[in-house]
């Protein structure tokens, strides 16, 4: 099974700042990496698929990059609604696995 | 718009069985692969199972293989998860989600809570 390791576990930033979240895979997943946002009491929402493609209705401030084993989710200028938990997910191989999450909190 | 609504969550004793359902609308269900994902309260996401659009292909996580069975009824736009031999560690919110190109999950339901406790 492919293990995804997200860093940092918690990121404390202020609105308007730039956020950079990392996801590292234990072996190559090609570009089959997705990012999700989850707010308390809500289901996850797909942000990025295939490492860099924004999902429907996702604002342009969200971008993804990387391939192979190292991936990054960047939020260019944080909006108050962006403070949430973010998960990466791979389907380079079965089974599908998720990272443990990065909590983005208001500083 | 796409709507996925899970039902069937309950409190059950260890070793017992439970069946979850997911009703889909706003999409061509017969053309969509589907997943189950779970999340223990306060914890991260765990993928559980996948079923292909026609139902002929299923994949399971190791921790549920042999105990859980995913199925679908394309005539009724419903997805099921039959859970047998439940354990305390199966306690979680269970989400159904639509597959996107067998690479990501683009629509999610709101989840249903399964609690396994004596």
């Amino acid at each position: 099974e492919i293990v995804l390791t997200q860093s940092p576990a918690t990121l404390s930033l202020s609105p308007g700042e730039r956020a950079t979240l990392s996801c590292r895979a234990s072996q190559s997943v090609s570009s089959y990496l997705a990012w999700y946002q989850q707010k308390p009491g809500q289901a996850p929402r797909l942000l990025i698929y295939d490492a860099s493609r924004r999902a429907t209705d996702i604002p342009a401030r969200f971008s993804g990059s990387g391939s192979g084993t190292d991936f990054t989710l960047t939020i260019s200028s944080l909006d108050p609604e962006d403070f949430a938990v973010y998960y990466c997910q791979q389907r380079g191989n079965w089974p599908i696995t998720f990272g443990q999450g990065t909590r983005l909190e208001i500083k | 718009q796409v709507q996925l609504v899970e039902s069937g969550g309950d409190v059950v004793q260890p070793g017992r069985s439970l069946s979850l359902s997911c009703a889909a609308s706003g999409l061509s269900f017969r053309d969509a692969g589907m997943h189950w994902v779970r999340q223990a309260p306060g914890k991260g996401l765990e993928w559980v199972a996948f079923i292909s659009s026609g139902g002929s292909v299923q994949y399971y996580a190791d921790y549920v293989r042999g105990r859980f069975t995913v199925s679908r009824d394309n005539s009724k736009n419903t997805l099921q998860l039959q859970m047998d031999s439940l354990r305390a560690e199966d306690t979680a919110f269970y989400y159904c989600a639509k597959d996107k190109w067998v690479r990501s999950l683009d629509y999610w339901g709101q989840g249903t809570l399964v609690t396994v406790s004596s």
Side-chain angles (χ1 to χ4, degrees), chain A residues 32 34 36 38 41-44 46 49-50 53 56 87 89 91 94-96 98-100, chain B residues 35 37 39 43-47 50 59 61 95 100-106 108-110:
Chain A
Y32 298 156
Y36 301 84
Q38 188 178 33
Q42 296 186 16
L46 177 66
Y49 65 97
D50 290 356
R53 302 175 73 166
T56 303
Y87 295 95
Q89 169 253 314
R91 223 296 283 158
W94 294 98
I96 285 174
F98 289 88
Q100 82 279 17
Chain B
H35 299 264
V37 175
Q39 186 172 36
K43 302 298 184 182
L45 300 171
E46 276 193 331
W47 175 77
F50 166 81
Y59 292 106
Y95 297 98
K100 183 177 180 66
W101 301 344
V102 205
R103 301 205 286 268
S104 58
L105 291 70
D106 57 354
W108 297 62
Q110 284 304 303

mmCIF file of all heavy atoms in Angstrom, chain A residues 32 34 36 38 41-44 46 49-50 53 56 87 89 91 94-96 98-100, chain B residues 35 37 39 43-47 50 59 61 95 100-106 108-110:
data_model
loop_
_atom_site.group_PDB
_atom_site.id
_atom_site.type_symbol
_atom_site.label_atom_id
_atom_site.label_comp_id
_atom_site.label_asym_id
_atom_site.label_seq_id
_atom_site.Cartn_x
_atom_site.Cartn_y
_atom_site.Cartn_z
ATOM 1 N N TYR A 32 -1.492 10.838 -10.307
ATOM 2 C CA TYR A 32 -2.799 10.443 -9.794
ATOM 3 C C TYR A 32 -2.948 10.834 -8.326
ATOM 4 O O TYR A 32 -3.114 9.996 -7.435
ATOM 5 C CB TYR A 32 -3.004 8.957 -9.991
ATOM 6 C CG TYR A 32 -3.002 8.523 -11.440
ATOM 7 C CD1 TYR A 32 -2.678 7.206 -11.778
ATOM 8 C CD2 TYR A 32 -3.311 9.404 -12.464
ATOM 9 C CE1 TYR A 32 -2.664 6.803 -13.105
ATOM 10 C CE2 TYR A 32 -3.304 9.008 -13.787
ATOM 11 C CZ TYR A 32 -2.976 7.714 -14.102
ATOM 12 O OH TYR A 32 -2.965 7.312 -15.410
ATOM 13 N N ALA A 34 -4.907 13.674 -5.701
ATOM 14 C CA ALA A 34 -6.000 14.635 -5.538
ATOM 15 C C ALA A 34 -5.894 15.300 -4.173
ATOM 16 O O ALA A 34 -5.287 14.758 -3.239
ATOM 17 C CB ALA A 34 -7.349 13.933 -5.677
ATOM 18 N N TYR A 36 -8.345 17.415 -1.178
ATOM 19 C CA TYR A 36 -9.698 17.662 -0.683
ATOM 20 C C TYR A 36 -9.635 18.647 0.478
ATOM 21 O O TYR A 36 -8.671 18.673 1.237
ATOM 22 C CB TYR A 36 -10.353 16.364 -0.189
ATOM 23 C CG TYR A 36 -10.460 15.308 -1.250
ATOM 24 C CD1 TYR A 36 -9.393 14.459 -1.522
ATOM 25 C CD2 TYR A 36 -11.617 15.157 -2.003
ATOM 26 C CE1 TYR A 36 -9.463 13.504 -2.520
ATOM 27 C CE2 TYR A 36 -11.708 14.196 -3.001
ATOM 28 C CZ TYR A 36 -10.627 13.389 -3.257
ATOM 29 O OH TYR A 36 -10.701 12.443 -4.244
ATOM 30 N N GLN A 38 -11.920 19.772 3.884
ATOM 31 C CA GLN A 38 -13.024 19.374 4.746
ATOM 32 C C GLN A 38 -13.182 20.370 5.887
ATOM 33 O O GLN A 38 -12.237 20.624 6.629
ATOM 34 C CB GLN A 38 -12.832 17.963 5.311
ATOM 35 C CG GLN A 38 -14.070 17.460 6.044
ATOM 36 C CD GLN A 38 -13.924 16.053 6.568
ATOM 37 O OE1 GLN A 38 -12.837 15.619 6.945
ATOM 38 N NE2 GLN A 38 -15.035 15.315 6.606
ATOM 39 N N GLY A 41 -18.061 19.186 10.357
ATOM 40 C CA GLY A 41 -19.433 18.789 10.132
ATOM 41 C C GLY A 41 -19.829 18.647 8.679
ATOM 42 O O GLY A 41 -21.016 18.435 8.381
ATOM 43 N N GLN A 42 -18.868 18.762 7.773
ATOM 44 C CA GLN A 42 -19.162 18.672 6.347
ATOM 45 C C GLN A 42 -18.406 17.512 5.701
ATOM 46 O O GLN A 42 -17.394 17.039 6.222
ATOM 47 C CB GLN A 42 -18.783 19.969 5.631
ATOM 48 C CG GLN A 42 -19.588 21.185 6.071
ATOM 49 C CD GLN A 42 -19.257 22.406 5.228
ATOM 50 O OE1 GLN A 42 -18.675 22.314 4.148
ATOM 51 N NE2 GLN A 42 -19.647 23.573 5.728
ATOM 52 N N ALA A 43 -18.908 17.102 4.545
ATOM 53 C CA ALA A 43 -18.206 16.105 3.754
ATOM 54 C C ALA A 43 -16.988 16.749 3.080
ATOM 55 O O ALA A 43 -16.943 17.971 2.902
ATOM 56 C CB ALA A 43 -19.137 15.541 2.685
ATOM 57 N N PRO A 44 -16.007 15.951 2.724
ATOM 58 C CA PRO A 44 -14.874 16.493 1.954
ATOM 59 C C PRO A 44 -15.339 17.040 0.614
ATOM 60 O O PRO A 44 -16.357 16.609 0.064
ATOM 61 C CB PRO A 44 -13.966 15.267 1.764
ATOM 62 C CG PRO A 44 -14.349 14.335 2.865
ATOM 63 C CD PRO A 44 -15.825 14.534 3.053
ATOM 64 N N LEU A 46 -13.760 17.956 -3.282
ATOM 65 C CA LEU A 46 -12.622 17.823 -4.194
ATOM 66 C C LEU A 46 -12.161 19.198 -4.664
ATOM 67 O O LEU A 46 -12.954 19.988 -5.158
ATOM 68 C CB LEU A 46 -13.012 16.970 -5.405
ATOM 69 C CG LEU A 46 -11.946 16.788 -6.491
ATOM 70 C CD1 LEU A 46 -10.758 15.990 -5.961
ATOM 71 C CD2 LEU A 46 -12.549 16.093 -7.720
ATOM 72 N N TYR A 49 -7.527 17.537 -8.863
ATOM 73 C CA TYR A 49 -7.346 16.150 -9.276
ATOM 74 C C TYR A 49 -6.227 16.085 -10.308
ATOM 75 O O TYR A 49 -5.838 17.103 -10.896
ATOM 76 C CB TYR A 49 -8.647 15.546 -9.801
ATOM 77 C CG TYR A 49 -9.173 16.186 -11.072
ATOM 78 C CD1 TYR A 49 -8.915 15.630 -12.317
ATOM 79 C CD2 TYR A 49 -9.951 17.344 -11.011
ATOM 80 C CE1 TYR A 49 -9.395 16.201 -13.475
ATOM 81 C CE2 TYR A 49 -10.436 17.936 -12.171
ATOM 82 C CZ TYR A 49 -10.164 17.359 -13.401
ATOM 83 O OH TYR A 49 -10.638 17.940 -14.547
ATOM 84 N N ASP A 50 -5.712 14.891 -10.515
ATOM 85 C CA ASP A 50 -4.576 14.708 -11.419
ATOM 86 C C ASP A 50 -3.451 15.702 -11.124
ATOM 87 O O ASP A 50 -2.836 16.267 -12.037
ATOM 88 C CB ASP A 50 -5.018 14.812 -12.878
ATOM 89 C CG ASP A 50 -5.870 13.628 -13.312
ATOM 90 O OD1 ASP A 50 -6.041 12.695 -12.498
ATOM 91 O OD2 ASP A 50 -6.374 13.639 -14.441
ATOM 92 N N ARG A 53 -5.117 19.825 -11.703
ATOM 93 C CA ARG A 53 -6.338 20.273 -12.375
ATOM 94 C C ARG A 53 -7.383 20.663 -11.334
ATOM 95 O O ARG A 53 -7.740 19.849 -10.477
ATOM 96 C CB ARG A 53 -6.854 19.178 -13.303
ATOM 97 C CG ARG A 53 -5.815 18.773 -14.339
ATOM 98 C CD ARG A 53 -6.257 17.617 -15.182
ATOM 99 N NE ARG A 53 -7.284 18.007 -16.149
ATOM 100 C CZ ARG A 53 -7.653 17.264 -17.179
ATOM 101 N NH1 ARG A 53 -7.086 16.094 -17.370
ATOM 102 N NH2 ARG A 53 -8.580 17.671 -18.008
ATOM 103 N N THR A 56 -14.435 21.441 -10.541
ATOM 104 C CA THR A 56 -15.491 22.394 -10.906
ATOM 105 C C THR A 56 -15.753 23.387 -9.782
ATOM 106 O O THR A 56 -15.892 22.994 -8.613
ATOM 107 C CB THR A 56 -16.785 21.631 -11.229
ATOM 108 O OG1 THR A 56 -16.526 20.688 -12.273
ATOM 109 C CG2 THR A 56 -17.879 22.590 -11.671
ATOM 110 N N TYR A 87 -6.731 17.144 2.818
ATOM 111 C CA TYR A 87 -6.238 15.786 2.645
ATOM 112 C C TYR A 87 -5.756 15.585 1.212
ATOM 113 O O TYR A 87 -6.394 16.062 0.269
ATOM 114 C CB TYR A 87 -7.342 14.757 2.901
ATOM 115 C CG TYR A 87 -7.864 14.718 4.318
ATOM 116 C CD1 TYR A 87 -8.998 15.446 4.683
ATOM 117 C CD2 TYR A 87 -7.246 13.936 5.285
ATOM 118 C CE1 TYR A 87 -9.483 15.404 5.978
ATOM 119 C CE2 TYR A 87 -7.729 13.883 6.583
ATOM 120 C CZ TYR A 87 -8.849 14.626 6.920
ATOM 121 O OH TYR A 87 -9.329 14.576 8.208
ATOM 122 N N GLN A 89 -4.864 12.437 -1.609
ATOM 123 C CA GLN A 89 -5.341 11.070 -1.892
ATOM 124 C C GLN A 89 -4.686 10.588 -3.172
ATOM 125 O O GLN A 89 -4.570 11.346 -4.137
ATOM 126 C CB GLN A 89 -6.864 11.081 -2.040
ATOM 127 C CG GLN A 89 -7.472 9.796 -2.594
ATOM 128 C CD GLN A 89 -7.945 9.948 -4.031
ATOM 129 O OE1 GLN A 89 -8.598 10.918 -4.390
ATOM 130 N NE2 GLN A 89 -7.636 8.964 -4.875
ATOM 131 N N ARG A 91 -4.285 7.443 -6.278
ATOM 132 C CA ARG A 91 -4.760 6.235 -6.943
ATOM 133 C C ARG A 91 -3.710 5.805 -7.968
ATOM 134 O O ARG A 91 -4.032 5.376 -9.060
ATOM 135 C CB ARG A 91 -6.117 6.446 -7.597
ATOM 136 C CG ARG A 91 -7.076 5.285 -7.379
ATOM 137 C CD ARG A 91 -6.610 4.011 -8.001
ATOM 138 N NE ARG A 91 -6.829 4.020 -9.458
ATOM 139 C CZ ARG A 91 -6.164 3.259 -10.313
ATOM 140 N NH1 ARG A 91 -5.223 2.426 -9.883
ATOM 141 N NH2 ARG A 91 -6.422 3.326 -11.600
ATOM 142 N N TRP A 94 -3.969 0.496 -6.332
ATOM 143 C CA TRP A 94 -4.957 0.103 -5.331
ATOM 144 C C TRP A 94 -4.196 -0.489 -4.143
ATOM 145 O O TRP A 94 -3.185 -1.145 -4.327
ATOM 146 C CB TRP A 94 -5.918 -0.940 -5.902
ATOM 147 C CG TRP A 94 -6.771 -0.428 -6.990
ATOM 148 C CD1 TRP A 94 -6.561 -0.569 -8.329
ATOM 149 C CD2 TRP A 94 -7.978 0.347 -6.857
ATOM 150 N NE1 TRP A 94 -7.561 0.059 -9.020
ATOM 151 C CE2 TRP A 94 -8.445 0.624 -8.159
ATOM 152 C CE3 TRP A 94 -8.713 0.815 -5.767
ATOM 153 C CZ2 TRP A 94 -9.620 1.359 -8.401
ATOM 154 C CZ3 TRP A 94 -9.870 1.546 -6.000
ATOM 155 C CH2 TRP A 94 -10.311 1.806 -7.302
ATOM 156 N N PRO A 95 -4.680 -0.245 -2.904
ATOM 157 C CA PRO A 95 -5.876 0.494 -2.570
ATOM 158 C C PRO A 95 -5.661 1.998 -2.603
ATOM 159 O O PRO A 95 -4.539 2.479 -2.446
ATOM 160 C CB PRO A 95 -6.157 0.035 -1.144
ATOM 161 C CG PRO A 95 -4.796 -0.201 -0.573
ATOM 162 C CD PRO A 95 -3.991 -0.768 -1.706
ATOM 163 N N ILE A 96 -6.731 2.719 -2.812
ATOM 164 C CA ILE A 96 -6.708 4.160 -2.643
ATOM 165 C C ILE A 96 -6.307 4.459 -1.201
ATOM 166 O O ILE A 96 -6.740 3.784 -0.269
ATOM 167 C CB ILE A 96 -8.097 4.748 -2.948
ATOM 168 C CG1 ILE A 96 -8.331 4.759 -4.464
ATOM 169 C CG2 ILE A 96 -8.251 6.138 -2.351
ATOM 170 C CD1 ILE A 96 -9.722 5.177 -4.864
ATOM 171 N N PHE A 98 -5.331 7.844 1.653
ATOM 172 C CA PHE A 98 -5.357 9.264 1.974
ATOM 173 C C PHE A 98 -4.185 9.601 2.887
ATOM 174 O O PHE A 98 -3.731 8.750 3.671
ATOM 175 C CB PHE A 98 -6.652 9.643 2.710
ATOM 176 C CG PHE A 98 -7.894 9.618 1.873
ATOM 177 C CD1 PHE A 98 -8.641 8.455 1.734
ATOM 178 C CD2 PHE A 98 -8.335 10.763 1.226
ATOM 179 C CE1 PHE A 98 -9.790 8.425 0.963
ATOM 180 C CE2 PHE A 98 -9.490 10.753 0.453
ATOM 181 C CZ PHE A 98 -10.218 9.578 0.323
ATOM 182 N N GLY A 99 -3.730 10.844 2.822
ATOM 183 C CA GLY A 99 -2.814 11.337 3.829
ATOM 184 C C GLY A 99 -3.551 11.591 5.130
ATOM 185 O O GLY A 99 -4.784 11.533 5.180
ATOM 186 N N GLN A 100 -2.795 11.884 6.175
ATOM 187 C CA GLN A 100 -3.392 12.039 7.503
ATOM 188 C C GLN A 100 -4.003 13.418 7.705
ATOM 189 O O GLN A 100 -4.688 13.652 8.704
ATOM 190 C CB GLN A 100 -2.335 11.772 8.589
ATOM 191 C CG GLN A 100 -1.429 12.941 8.900
ATOM 192 C CD GLN A 100 -0.281 13.130 7.925
ATOM 193 O OE1 GLN A 100 -0.268 12.588 6.805
ATOM 194 N NE2 GLN A 100 0.708 13.907 8.333
ATOM 195 N N HIS B 35 -17.656 4.898 -4.683
ATOM 196 C CA HIS B 35 -16.796 4.533 -3.556
ATOM 197 C C HIS B 35 -17.551 4.664 -2.246
ATOM 198 O O HIS B 35 -18.507 5.437 -2.138
ATOM 199 C CB HIS B 35 -15.595 5.482 -3.467
ATOM 200 C CG HIS B 35 -14.694 5.500 -4.643
ATOM 201 N ND1 HIS B 35 -13.537 4.752 -4.706
ATOM 202 C CD2 HIS B 35 -14.762 6.191 -5.810
ATOM 203 C CE1 HIS B 35 -12.924 4.980 -5.852
ATOM 204 N NE2 HIS B 35 -13.650 5.856 -6.549
ATOM 205 N N VAL B 37 -16.190 5.646 1.651
ATOM 206 C CA VAL B 37 -15.076 6.161 2.439
ATOM 207 C C VAL B 37 -15.593 6.359 3.858
ATOM 208 O O VAL B 37 -16.747 6.763 4.038
ATOM 209 C CB VAL B 37 -14.566 7.503 1.873
ATOM 210 C CG1 VAL B 37 -13.474 8.097 2.764
ATOM 211 C CG2 VAL B 37 -14.043 7.319 0.446
ATOM 212 N N GLN B 39 -14.814 7.716 8.105
ATOM 213 C CA GLN B 39 -14.053 8.645 8.925
ATOM 214 C C GLN B 39 -14.493 8.474 10.375
ATOM 215 O O GLN B 39 -15.622 8.827 10.733
ATOM 216 C CB GLN B 39 -14.286 10.084 8.469
ATOM 217 C CG GLN B 39 -13.430 11.120 9.178
ATOM 218 C CD GLN B 39 -13.580 12.496 8.547
ATOM 219 O OE1 GLN B 39 -14.654 12.887 8.090
ATOM 220 N NE2 GLN B 39 -12.477 13.251 8.495
ATOM 221 N N LYS B 43 -11.089 11.826 13.342
ATOM 222 C CA LYS B 43 -9.934 11.224 12.672
ATOM 223 C C LYS B 43 -9.937 11.548 11.181
ATOM 224 O O LYS B 43 -10.768 12.303 10.699
ATOM 225 C CB LYS B 43 -9.941 9.708 12.888
ATOM 226 C CG LYS B 43 -9.931 9.287 14.350
ATOM 227 C CD LYS B 43 -8.692 9.758 15.078
ATOM 228 C CE LYS B 43 -8.656 9.243 16.500
ATOM 229 N NZ LYS B 43 -7.460 9.746 17.249
ATOM 230 N N GLY B 44 -8.986 10.942 10.463
ATOM 231 C CA GLY B 44 -8.846 11.197 9.039
ATOM 232 C C GLY B 44 -9.717 10.293 8.183
ATOM 233 O O GLY B 44 -10.499 9.481 8.683
ATOM 234 N N LEU B 45 -9.565 10.454 6.876
ATOM 235 C CA LEU B 45 -10.366 9.702 5.911
ATOM 236 C C LEU B 45 -9.731 8.350 5.622
ATOM 237 O O LEU B 45 -8.515 8.233 5.479
ATOM 238 C CB LEU B 45 -10.467 10.499 4.604
ATOM 239 C CG LEU B 45 -11.113 11.872 4.706
ATOM 240 C CD1 LEU B 45 -10.956 12.634 3.399
ATOM 241 C CD2 LEU B 45 -12.583 11.751 5.080
ATOM 242 N N GLU B 46 -10.575 7.332 5.508
ATOM 243 C CA GLU B 46 -10.141 5.974 5.149
ATOM 244 C C GLU B 46 -11.000 5.482 3.993
ATOM 245 O O GLU B 46 -12.226 5.405 4.121
ATOM 246 C CB GLU B 46 -10.344 5.004 6.320
ATOM 247 C CG GLU B 46 -9.264 4.958 7.344
ATOM 248 C CD GLU B 46 -9.435 3.746 8.279
ATOM 249 O OE1 GLU B 46 -10.566 3.286 8.507
ATOM 250 O OE2 GLU B 46 -8.394 3.282 8.780
ATOM 251 N N TRP B 47 -10.374 5.120 2.901
ATOM 252 C CA TRP B 47 -11.109 4.531 1.789
ATOM 253 C C TRP B 47 -11.537 3.107 2.159
ATOM 254 O O TRP B 47 -10.774 2.367 2.803
ATOM 255 C CB TRP B 47 -10.222 4.513 0.555
ATOM 256 C CG TRP B 47 -10.831 3.824 -0.612
ATOM 257 C CD1 TRP B 47 -11.794 4.306 -1.461
ATOM 258 C CD2 TRP B 47 -10.551 2.495 -1.057
ATOM 259 N NE1 TRP B 47 -12.114 3.365 -2.400
ATOM 260 C CE2 TRP B 47 -11.358 2.244 -2.182
ATOM 261 C CE3 TRP B 47 -9.684 1.495 -0.622
ATOM 262 C CZ2 TRP B 47 -11.331 1.040 -2.872
ATOM 263 C CZ3 TRP B 47 -9.654 0.290 -1.298
ATOM 264 C CH2 TRP B 47 -10.471 0.069 -2.419
ATOM 265 N N PHE B 50 -14.674 0.238 -3.619
ATOM 266 C CA PHE B 50 -15.033 0.798 -4.926
ATOM 267 C C PHE B 50 -15.812 -0.240 -5.709
ATOM 268 O O PHE B 50 -15.536 -1.446 -5.607
ATOM 269 C CB PHE B 50 -13.767 1.158 -5.692
ATOM 270 C CG PHE B 50 -13.995 1.418 -7.166
ATOM 271 C CD1 PHE B 50 -14.467 2.622 -7.608
ATOM 272 C CD2 PHE B 50 -13.738 0.416 -8.113
ATOM 273 C CE1 PHE B 50 -14.675 2.860 -8.970
ATOM 274 C CE2 PHE B 50 -13.942 0.630 -9.461
ATOM 275 C CZ PHE B 50 -14.416 1.854 -9.892
ATOM 276 N N TYR B 59 -13.220 -3.354 -5.491
ATOM 277 C CA TYR B 59 -11.968 -3.345 -4.742
ATOM 278 C C TYR B 59 -12.301 -3.011 -3.289
ATOM 279 O O TYR B 59 -13.219 -2.234 -3.018
ATOM 280 C CB TYR B 59 -10.995 -2.289 -5.274
ATOM 281 C CG TYR B 59 -10.458 -2.568 -6.651
ATOM 282 C CD1 TYR B 59 -10.912 -1.851 -7.753
ATOM 283 C CD2 TYR B 59 -9.477 -3.534 -6.866
ATOM 284 C CE1 TYR B 59 -10.408 -2.082 -9.025
ATOM 285 C CE2 TYR B 59 -8.970 -3.774 -8.130
ATOM 286 C CZ TYR B 59 -9.441 -3.042 -9.205
ATOM 287 O OH TYR B 59 -8.948 -3.282 -10.463
ATOM 288 N N ALA B 61 -10.538 -2.255 0.809
ATOM 289 C CA ALA B 61 -9.402 -2.075 1.709
ATOM 290 C C ALA B 61 -9.178 -3.362 2.491
ATOM 291 O O ALA B 61 -10.130 -4.112 2.771
ATOM 292 C CB ALA B 61 -9.677 -0.921 2.664
ATOM 293 N N TYR B 95 -19.260 7.618 4.130
ATOM 294 C CA TYR B 95 -19.641 8.469 3.004
ATOM 295 C C TYR B 95 -19.662 7.643 1.718
ATOM 296 O O TYR B 95 -18.739 6.839 1.482
ATOM 297 C CB TYR B 95 -18.616 9.583 2.795
ATOM 298 C CG TYR B 95 -18.469 10.568 3.920
ATOM 299 C CD1 TYR B 95 -17.446 10.442 4.853
ATOM 300 C CD2 TYR B 95 -19.338 11.652 4.034
ATOM 301 C CE1 TYR B 95 -17.285 11.365 5.867
ATOM 302 C CE2 TYR B 95 -19.187 12.580 5.053
ATOM 303 C CZ TYR B 95 -18.156 12.432 5.966
ATOM 304 O OH TYR B 95 -18.013 13.347 6.969
ATOM 305 N N LYS B 100 -14.272 9.746 -10.125
ATOM 306 C CA LYS B 100 -13.890 10.555 -11.282
ATOM 307 C C LYS B 100 -12.691 9.879 -11.943
ATOM 308 O O LYS B 100 -11.578 9.931 -11.405
ATOM 309 C CB LYS B 100 -13.539 11.978 -10.876
ATOM 310 C CG LYS B 100 -13.205 12.899 -12.060
ATOM 311 C CD LYS B 100 -12.941 14.312 -11.594
ATOM 312 C CE LYS B 100 -12.610 15.230 -12.766
ATOM 313 N NZ LYS B 100 -13.761 15.411 -13.690
ATOM 314 N N TRP B 101 -12.940 9.203 -13.040
ATOM 315 C CA TRP B 101 -11.890 8.591 -13.877
ATOM 316 C C TRP B 101 -11.041 7.571 -13.126
ATOM 317 O O TRP B 101 -9.884 7.363 -13.458
ATOM 318 C CB TRP B 101 -10.983 9.667 -14.492
ATOM 319 C CG TRP B 101 -11.691 10.646 -15.348
ATOM 320 C CD1 TRP B 101 -12.935 10.529 -15.885
ATOM 321 C CD2 TRP B 101 -11.197 11.926 -15.761
ATOM 322 N NE1 TRP B 101 -13.243 11.660 -16.606
ATOM 323 C CE2 TRP B 101 -12.204 12.524 -16.566
ATOM 324 C CE3 TRP B 101 -10.008 12.614 -15.560
ATOM 325 C CZ2 TRP B 101 -12.052 13.778 -17.144
ATOM 326 C CZ3 TRP B 101 -9.848 13.865 -16.138
ATOM 327 C CH2 TRP B 101 -10.859 14.443 -16.921
ATOM 328 N N VAL B 102 -11.606 6.958 -12.096
ATOM 329 C CA VAL B 102 -10.910 5.970 -11.256
ATOM 330 C C VAL B 102 -9.638 6.592 -10.669
ATOM 331 O O VAL B 102 -8.629 5.912 -10.473
ATOM 332 C CB VAL B 102 -10.578 4.664 -12.021
ATOM 333 C CG1 VAL B 102 -10.462 3.503 -11.030
ATOM 334 C CG2 VAL B 102 -11.645 4.343 -13.051
ATOM 335 N N ARG B 103 -9.670 7.884 -10.390
ATOM 336 C CA ARG B 103 -8.489 8.548 -9.862
ATOM 337 C C ARG B 103 -8.812 9.472 -8.693
ATOM 338 O O ARG B 103 -7.939 9.756 -7.882
ATOM 339 C CB ARG B 103 -7.783 9.347 -10.967
ATOM 340 C CG ARG B 103 -7.352 8.455 -12.128
ATOM 341 C CD ARG B 103 -6.207 9.067 -12.865
ATOM 342 N NE ARG B 103 -6.537 10.204 -13.706
ATOM 343 C CZ ARG B 103 -6.851 10.113 -14.992
ATOM 344 N NH1 ARG B 103 -6.952 8.929 -15.562
ATOM 345 N NH2 ARG B 103 -7.065 11.200 -15.713
ATOM 346 N N SER B 104 -10.052 9.949 -8.603
ATOM 347 C CA SER B 104 -10.428 10.834 -7.498
ATOM 348 C C SER B 104 -11.930 10.705 -7.259
ATOM 349 O O SER B 104 -12.622 9.953 -7.955
ATOM 350 C CB SER B 104 -10.038 12.281 -7.812
ATOM 351 O OG SER B 104 -10.647 12.726 -9.002
ATOM 352 N N LEU B 105 -12.425 11.421 -6.254
ATOM 353 C CA LEU B 105 -13.821 11.310 -5.835
ATOM 354 C C LEU B 105 -14.426 12.704 -5.892
ATOM 355 O O LEU B 105 -14.060 13.574 -5.087
ATOM 356 C CB LEU B 105 -13.899 10.749 -4.411
ATOM 357 C CG LEU B 105 -13.496 9.287 -4.211
ATOM 358 C CD1 LEU B 105 -12.002 9.041 -4.389
ATOM 359 C CD2 LEU B 105 -13.947 8.823 -2.818
ATOM 360 N N ASP B 106 -15.338 12.942 -6.854
ATOM 361 C CA ASP B 106 -15.724 14.325 -7.119
ATOM 362 C C ASP B 106 -17.027 14.777 -6.468
ATOM 363 O O ASP B 106 -17.273 15.988 -6.393
ATOM 364 C CB ASP B 106 -15.705 14.637 -8.621
ATOM 365 C CG ASP B 106 -16.600 13.736 -9.454
ATOM 366 O OD1 ASP B 106 -17.167 12.770 -8.899
ATOM 367 O OD2 ASP B 106 -16.717 13.990 -10.668
ATOM 368 N N TRP B 108 -19.621 13.894 -2.986
ATOM 369 C CA TRP B 108 -19.727 13.150 -1.738
ATOM 370 C C TRP B 108 -21.101 13.375 -1.119
ATOM 371 O O TRP B 108 -21.674 14.468 -1.211
ATOM 372 C CB TRP B 108 -18.683 13.634 -0.737
ATOM 373 C CG TRP B 108 -17.255 13.429 -1.132
ATOM 374 C CD1 TRP B 108 -16.595 13.959 -2.217
ATOM 375 C CD2 TRP B 108 -16.286 12.646 -0.434
ATOM 376 N NE1 TRP B 108 -15.287 13.549 -2.229
ATOM 377 C CE2 TRP B 108 -15.068 12.749 -1.145
ATOM 378 C CE3 TRP B 108 -16.316 11.872 0.727
ATOM 379 C CZ2 TRP B 108 -13.901 12.097 -0.731
ATOM 380 C CZ3 TRP B 108 -15.157 11.227 1.146
ATOM 381 C CH2 TRP B 108 -13.965 11.343 0.418
ATOM 382 N N GLY B 109 -21.598 12.326 -0.459
ATOM 383 C CA GLY B 109 -22.773 12.502 0.368
ATOM 384 C C GLY B 109 -22.403 13.126 1.697
ATOM 385 O O GLY B 109 -21.224 13.416 1.953
ATOM 386 N N GLN B 110 -23.385 13.308 2.564
ATOM 387 C CA GLN B 110 -23.149 13.929 3.872
ATOM 388 C C GLN B 110 -22.778 12.918 4.950
ATOM 389 O O GLN B 110 -22.397 13.302 6.054
ATOM 390 C CB GLN B 110 -24.375 14.730 4.308
ATOM 391 C CG GLN B 110 -24.493 16.056 3.572
ATOM 392 C CD GLN B 110 -23.250 16.907 3.733
ATOM 393 O OE1 GLN B 110 -22.826 17.239 4.827
ATOM 394 N NE2 GLN B 110 -22.617 17.266 2.619
#
